[in-house]
Amino acid sequence: MSPRLASFKALIYAHCGLVLEGVAEDRLYKILQHNAKRSGCIDLNAYERLIRTDAEQFDILVCQLTVNETYFFRELEQLELLTTVLIPQVLAQKSAGQPVRILSAGCSSGEEPYSLVMLLERIYGERTAELFQIDAGDLDQNVLSKARAGVYSQFSFRGVDPAVRLRYFQPQKQGYKLAEHIRSQVSFYQLNLLAPQFPAELSDYDIIFFRNVSIYFDLETRALIQRRFYELMNAQSILFLGSSETLGNDLGVFELVEHTGQYFFIKGEAYRPKHNNTGTGLTLTETGQSTSDLVLQLDQQALSTVNADDTADVVAPPTEPSQRTDSVDDRRLVALERIQQLVSAGELRRAMRLLESFPVPVTEDYAACLLKSWLLLNQQAFDEAASLLGYALVAQPWSVDAMLMQGLLCKWQQKTEDACQWFRKVIYICPECWPAHYYLADTRRAEEQFEAAVRSYQAVIRILATAAEVNHGLTWIPAPLAASDAVFLSRRQIQQLTADLHTTQVDD
Ligand SMILES: C[S@@+](CC[C@H](N)C(=O)[O-])C[C@H]1O[C@@H](n2cnc3c(N)ncnc32)[C@H](O)[C@@H]1O
């Protein structure tokens, strides 16, 4: 890397925490060259002098470097957990007339906070504005202007049904304009999460969304930002990161908790999931409808019509085994591949919809059985998941995927001894299955079997120390977290558990 580039990178990192490595570094170089030329600077030295003295020019550069990828109803499972399970609890904590305060930090062009308003509006109707105050902030002024204007292109509606778009958006020449009654419920702020001071209005939050932003920061910046959030939040509050980021962000600031496979952070005790409550957490709204039903309606609307993106995924209805042709098998394979991709990307509802049009009965297809069990498990449909896992285990009695899921099925139903037995079976068949060691460690930790938990976390580190690409034995379902995060978290847990063990021994 040229010394010139290092100096720009340091400047940007100090200003907003963005770490520009690899492809981002190449991009930075091209942008610098282009900007220097456009602003009449003879070289990068002159351009650096310009941005160091001209805040507007520096802002232009920063906005060119942010990654603003977002879309409506992204990671719907999380939004659903929030609206069906957590928000009713938050509302119960509030005194009359006190709104629930929510911040979307790193909101990009607004799809995230607006999705939330649309979901809440379906549940709370006209009372939404009085019950909730939603703020959103981003570093990038360009995306904020777009968010305030509320006009979106097709690109923001990935996986969203035209019926939902029709309900909330008005087609225009340049795209689709979001209805005023939704737009007016979000207040946008320019917000640099590393700025010495935040806008005064940003305080007292019950819920903060910080999804798909932390990936651009190093661990030190992530911890710093979490500590700032901690200050901005009420004594009882909730922090959501993107589902693939959450485990790698357990930095000791907030408490990491799990609700049937979904992880989030809490401050205080009030929203800690009650692990003996394996119910669905459904609550009734004032209209008497289950909040989940309402969200589901929206989601089913969103998924009932095949969008262009999905057309290739939809396959013909099931046929009898005897009638299967090569093309059915081809379609089966294409569908499986696509469903697996969606499962890995956390797009569980779209994956489920594709399974509904799977070309052969799911119970006759081992891989489809596994994938559907995974989706059902994540929906807490434990009985249905158990029944499908039964089919998978008949087809392949030594299936690592199926046995691991049996373990999870037991774990999430609080049958911890059975869960441990399943995880141990997996380890017996595939000693390198670090996800099984990780789940075993997690279960033992929850059961306060600290020494056994430490041994299992050590096994995760040992297996992954040789190579991150170790064959963990899972073919169809995803590992719970990235290998690097598993090592990082196992180390942290060992540290904490060893300290706890030491304290217990001293107390004894
Ligand atoms: C990938 S988008 C995430 C959008 C949305 N949260 C989602 O999950 O769809 C990341 C956003 O973080 C913003 N961002 C990056 N650094 C920031 C900082 N220091 N302060 C505030 N926002 C920042 C970027 O401008 C970008 O719009």
Side-chain angles (χ1 to χ4, degrees), residues 154-213:
Q154 185 64 39
F155 198 58
S156 294
F157 295 94
R158 274 167 267 177
V160 178
D161 177 16
V164 173
R165 204 174 56 204
L166 209 67
R167 182 184 161 111
Y168 291 107
F169 294 82
Q170 189 73 41
Q172 292 201 333
K173 234 182 185 172
Q174 307 85 346
Y176 300 87
K177 183 153 183 124
L178 181 59
E180 164 63 18
H181 75 284
I182 302 291
R183 273 190 297 131
S184 62
Q185 293 193 45
V186 182
S187 310
F188 288 97
Y189 296 86
Q190 194 186 3
L191 169 69
N192 176 3
L193 292 164
L194 259 73
Q197 273 200 321
F198 288 176
E201 297 87 339
L202 306 189
S203 67
D204 305 322
Y205 289 108
D206 300 293
I207 298 156
I208 292 186
F209 276 88
F210 179 52
R211 303 193 307 168
N212 308 299
V213 188

Side-chain angles (χ1 to χ4, degrees), residues 336 339-340 343 348 351-358 360-363 365-381 384-389 392 405 476-477:
L336 282 175
I339 292 162
Q340 194 181 21
V343 164
L348 304 189
M352 185 60 105
R353 195 175 124 251
L354 288 192
L355 269 167
E356 276 154 19
S357 58
F358 199 67
V360 295
V362 166
T363 48
D365 189 293
Y366 162 74
C369 250
L370 291 175
L371 288 164
K372 190 159 183 186
S373 305
W374 177 255
L375 297 172
L376 290 167
L377 260 183
N378 280 279
Q379 289 176 358
Q380 306 165 45
E384 284 173 78
S387 143
L388 274 183
L389 280 177
M405 275 195 277
W476 291 99
I477 62 164

Side-chain angles (χ1 to χ4, degrees), residues 238-257:
I238 298 164
L239 170 68
F240 267 105
L241 275 89
S243 53
S244 60
E245 301 168 287
T246 307
L247 293 175
N249 273 282
D250 183 15
L251 304 173
V253 181
F254 291 90
E255 182 186 345
L256 176 68
V257 293

